[in-house]
Amino acid sequence: MGYVGLPLAVEFAQAGFRVTGIDLNETRVRQLVAGRSYIQDVPTADVRTLVRKGLLSATTDFSVLRRADAVSICVPTPLSKQRDPDVSYIVAAVEQVKRYVHPGMLVILESTTYPGTTDELILPELENTGLKVGQDFFLAFSPERVDPGNAVWRTRNTPKVVGGVTPTCTRMAVELYRQRLEHVVPVSSPQVAEMVKLLENTFRSVNIGLVNELALLCARLRIDVWEVIEAAATKPFGFMPFYPGPGLGGHCIPIDPFYLSWKARASGFEARFIELAGYINGQMPEHVVDLVVRALNQRGLSVRGSKVLVLGMAYKADIDDVRESPSFDIMKSLEDRGARVEYSDPFVPKLGFFGRRMTSTPLTPARMRRFDCAVIATAHKSFPYGQIVRYSKSVVDTRNALKGRRSPKIVRL
Ligand SMILES: NC(=O)c1ccc[n+]([C@@H]2O[C@H](COP(=O)([O-])OP(=O)(O)OC[C@H]3O[C@@H](n4cnc5c(N)ncnc54)[C@H](O)[C@@H]3O)[C@@H](O)[C@H]2O)c1
């Protein structure tokens, strides 16, 4: 019942299904039972109404699966320390589903994962019960495409790709989603559906990597990369703008391509584009630190002992998700070099930073004046950009948030 599960549960409940959210996180379950949303894109009013109507409930008890006609698995799929897929959450969830799978049940995996997971990891487990796929129970993969903070493309109107293990499995899953979602796109197998999601996210990672490399080159050639992209984007065909930045963040783009390159390696294939994009994107936080060094240097200051304010901890604008955010790497690297670092983010009032609790610094003129450098890492709309330039001694802008503003204080990516 996270960023993916809760919005989906709400959609199904709004279609009139009686939906039970299962989560190991008791706090989340308690909040849902009390009718409260903890996901920014899901209004508490919606959750409250559905809970009151008896259409949405939540529990930590998997035995509710005994009576469920369908189950969507939306658990995390992170990387291990060695940057290999960590499918342990899927395995744990499937273990529970296996205990309660029954004739007629539809099981759909929504978590992003490598091609083959549904067929190789889930199917044998469920068939071990003696039930037969396509006859007794139905199994499909359907990747989630939710884009947190996107007001236009929501769960309901974003086309949903579905691939079942058998044609009947696909039909069953398509029918379920069609009850609420506007467009459902059937494909021939779970592997195709798994690969679709990885293509989408790898496409973003590689293009962001390309444009980050171009940004580094443009800096050398003293060309404004933002102006280049803006002009190139006037081409009405064959071009799509991507923008450089301080590095990748979130649960998807920095992680998912490695699911694909891992699978490629396992089959003796080297996915070079993916690895290269990962490498270039992974260098960006350190490049931002270099820009801070340059900004301080211009004023005769060293990093050691300087005070730096990082603006934006969320990995993208106007959301509260800090997972994999490059702001952490930037702050850590600056601290390692002896800077005193604080952050400001209206969406993230508090956070844990390498074992320490930190709170967001309010952007008052007096506070801003205390820092030797401000780094715009996330372009939240609500940041007072005019004041940031006015009161900061220097500003590193990694997002072109200060577009059109001229000041010798500004160092741009
Ligand atoms: N966040 C996104 O924007 C996004 C978009 C598309 C796809 N995805 C994919 O969807 C999946 C879920 O991502 P998310 O962002 O919703 O994660 P999340 O961390 O927000 O939510 C996952 C939830 O699963 C719960 N959980 C963990 N193990 C469990 C278990 N065994 N049984 C029941 N609940 C369990 C966790 O407590 C948590 O509440 C991932 O594979 C991710 O790659 C995420």
Side-chain angles (χ1 to χ4, degrees), residues 12 106-110 139-145 159-178 181 183-194 196:
F12 280 141
L106 170 63
V107 181
I108 306 178
L109 178 63
E110 297 247 352
L139 177 61
F141 181 82
S142 178
E144 180 50 58
R145 286 169 158 167
K160 194 100 172 84
V161 171
V162 179
V165 173
T166 69
T168 316
C169 295
T170 306
R171 271 208 306 282
M172 292 276 287
V174 167
E175 276 311 311
L176 174 65
Y177 288 123
R178 273 189 39 206
L181 308 189
H183 308 282
V184 185
V185 184
V187 295
S188 63
S189 67
Q191 286 95 321
V192 169
E194 287 157 344
V196 166

Side-chain angles (χ1 to χ4, degrees), residues 86 110-111 119 121 147 166 211 275 290 312 332 339 365:
D86 173 4
E110 297 247 352
S111 303
D119 265 353
L121 214 62
D147 180 19
T166 69
V211 89
E275 297 286 349
D290 286 346
K332 179 76 172 62

